[in-house]
Amino acid sequence: IYNEQHPFEQPSPGDDKKTLVILGTGWGATSLLKSLKTENYNVIVVSPKNYFLFTPLLPSCTVGTPIRYITRHKKAAVQVLEGECTYIDPVSRTITVEDNSEIRGNVTSATIPFDYLVVAVGAENQTFGIPGVAEHACFLKEIWDAKKIRGRLMDCIETAAFAGQTEDEIQRLLHMVVVGGGPTGVEYAAELHDFITEDLAVWYPDIAGKVKITLVEALPNVLPSFSKQLIEYTESTFKENKINILTKTKVKGVDQKHIVVEDANGQTTEIPYGLLVWATGNTSRAVVRKLMAALPNEQKQRQGKYLASVFNKLAKNEEQKGVKVTDLKPFHYSHYGSLA
Ligand SMILES: Cc1cc2nc3c(=O)[nH]c(=O)nc-3n(C[C@H](O)[C@H](O)[C@H](O)COP(=O)(O)OP(=O)(O)OC[C@H]3O[C@@H](n4cnc5c(N)ncnc54)[C@H](O)[C@@H]3O)c2cc1C
């Protein structure tokens, strides 16, 4: 504890060192930073978040570790810039960083040169371009998403409890819809159920029993990438706990109070909701899409050649060690268990 409170002096790595820019302060960037010998590079970290968000706890609470806590304990100093990288120029080897935070100074944009660049910016929410999703649904990726969901959830409950509220409107307000039967959607639906039965039932005994949760999934079952056993367990546990699962159901549109869904027979239905949580997976960020578009063809070809040369060298090394390329075993991911 003493060492954590009293970090040692951090020398600057020196002007002769190459500049390594790391975009992001998430899982990828943080694990790189922890193992990196910062005395070998002039390291600059750029991220709109000045903390590491522990996503597995996001559905139940919000926790963040300031990134400076990690960088301050590195041997050599690391620069941290709170800002969003909006453009990567692969030719001039520079990045453009914008300060998009609430409080801005006179300078809000900077261009930073790099020798090496690590792009660890994660992904953004996938909406499949379905009309109304971006405007009306809540996502669950960032701290502010969790706060927004919490605010809307409690507002739905208080509005349902408002004097003289009509029965139809109470039913709509207390219908919580989660779209996406992957791990995030399943975990959130379960978390919501526990909150309603364990907490809400005490504070709002007249309301809690009227809350309905529906999980909507386009595929034939939830948790499609998990084992059959886990899928069956999840579906039967949800049934026991009266969490309604609509599989083979696609959301076609969303407005402020309804979602329109299409079932396996092509029949469309309008479902009223109070809270809509959207968890249908990820897509690449704009800065990454722009980078891919900006990479000159020649560079893409060179990357392909470079990758081929890496594999060739690898094969040669293995052969020199007496291992035939055909003996090389494919990489197998070992799962050490899930946190949530
Ligand atoms: C609710 C929830 C629960 C989860 N639970 C689990 C779990 O239990 N187990 C598990 O293994 N995985 C879990 N995951 C998935 C896990 O969080 C992701 O796989 C992981 O975060 C991906 O790491 P990353 O470093 O690629 O991106 P991220 O962790 O998303 O980090 C991206 C970083 O880049 C920054 N950034 C974004 N745009 C820019 C930009 N333009 N310029 C600079 N910086 C930028 C962001 O602010 C962030 O710091 C969960 C995810 C969610 C949403």
Side-chain angles (χ1 to χ4, degrees):
I1 293 173
Y2 179 85
N3 287 345
E4 284 181 5
Q5 299 297 324
H6 301 86
F8 43 75
E9 283 293 310
Q10 269 186 323
S12 158
D15 293 341
D16 56 324
K17 298 283 162 33
K18 298 256 185 189
T19 297
L20 168 63
V21 173
I22 301 175
L23 298 183
T25 49
W27 282 92
T30 307
S31 86
L32 168 68
L33 255 177
K34 280 185 173 168
S35 322
L36 189 71
K37 293 197 167 145
T38 54
E39 59 276 27
N40 295 333
Y41 299 94
N42 169 29
V43 182
I44 306 177
V45 177
V46 176
S47 175
K49 287 196 302 231
N50 69 353
Y51 52 85
F52 164 60
L53 177 65
F54 191 74
T55 45
L57 284 183
L58 197 57
S60 45
C61 62
T62 54
V63 181
T65 306
I67 199 70
R68 281 173 199 267
Y69 177 84
I70 294 167
T71 57
R72 186 61 188 88
H73 285 87
K74 300 303 293 184
K75 199 163 176 186
V78 173
Q79 280 183 62
V80 179
L81 297 184
E82 191 192 68
E84 185 181 338
C85 170
T86 49
Y87 190 68
I88 300 166
D89 188 333
V91 180
S92 67
R93 290 179 165 254
T94 56
I95 58 163
T96 307
V97 182
E98 311 275 347
D99 178 2
N100 292 332
S101 63
E102 229 170 83
I103 297 172
R104 291 180 217 179
N106 292 335
V107 180
T108 56
S109 177
T111 302
I112 298 171
F114 62 84
D115 295 299
Y116 304 107
L117 178 70
V118 174
V119 180
V121 297
E124 58 187 42
N125 296 294
Q126 174 64 278
T127 64
F128 303 104
I130 297 168
V133 175
E135 295 84 348
H136 305 295
C138 297
F139 300 105
L140 185 53
K141 199 172 254 305
E142 308 289 354
I143 286 191
W144 50 88
D145 292 332
K147 282 186 182 161
K148 184 173 160 185
I149 293 176
R150 171 79 183 187
R152 281 208 187 172
L153 175 62
M154 295 316 293
D155 204 3
C156 281
I157 287 157
E158 292 294 357
T159 310
F162 195 78
Q165 197 59 268
T166 62
E167 200 48 44
D168 279 359
E169 193 62 346
I170 291 173
Q171 277 181 24
R172 178 187 73 78
L173 288 161
L174 298 182
H175 188 202
M176 313 301 171
V177 175
V178 180
V179 181
T184 301
V186 165
E187 197 184 338
Y188 187 69
E191 194 70 49
L192 193 55
H193 169 269
D194 292 352
F195 174 68
I196 289 157
T197 52
E198 288 163 23
D199 298 301
L200 219 63
V202 180
W203 309 329
Y204 301 83
D206 303 338
I207 292 274
K210 295 182 182 175
V211 179
K212 263 179 58 188
I213 304 172
T214 300
L215 180 66
V216 182
E217 168 56 53
L219 293 175
N221 53 264
V222 298
L223 298 176
S225 56
F226 287 77
S227 68
K228 197 168 169 255
Q229 216 182 358
L230 189 69
I231 293 169
E232 282 169 5
Y233 171 78
T234 306
E235 292 188 345
S236 65
T237 308
F238 272 31
K239 201 171 172 189
E240 270 167 40
N241 287 286
K242 299 195 174 70
I243 301 173
N244 184 26
I245 300 181
L246 296 178
T247 50
K248 297 185 190 166
T249 305
K250 290 181 190 152
V251 176
K252 291 291 183 185
V254 173
D255 69 22
Q256 211 181 356
K257 297 183 177 180
H258 307 88
I259 57 169
V260 176
V261 297
E262 185 186 270
D263 67 16
N265 304 320
Q267 198 170 344
T268 56
T269 317
E270 198 177 63
I271 303 176
Y273 73 85
L275 172 74
L276 177 64
V277 175
W278 194 266
T280 61
N282 297 320
T283 185
S284 56
R285 290 199 189 274
V287 68
V288 174
R289 293 197 295 270
K290 278 192 259 176
L291 170 65
M292 296 317 288
L295 277 181
N297 276 341
E298 192 211 343
Q299 197 157 340
K300 286 178 194 158
Q301 281 166 6
R302 285 213 324 250
Q303 280 182 347
K305 277 189 195 160
Y306 173 75
L307 196 61
S309 78
V310 170
F311 279 115
N312 291 341
K313 267 191 207 149
L314 186 76
K316 207 170 165 192
N317 286 347
E318 296 297 338
E319 275 183 355
Q320 276 166 0
K321 279 191 237 152
V323 185
K324 285 196 195 123
V325 182
T326 45
D327 294 340
L328 286 177
K329 300 219 166 39
F331 170 77
H332 277 295
Y333 167 71
S334 306
H335 190 54
Y336 294 143
S338 297
L339 280 163

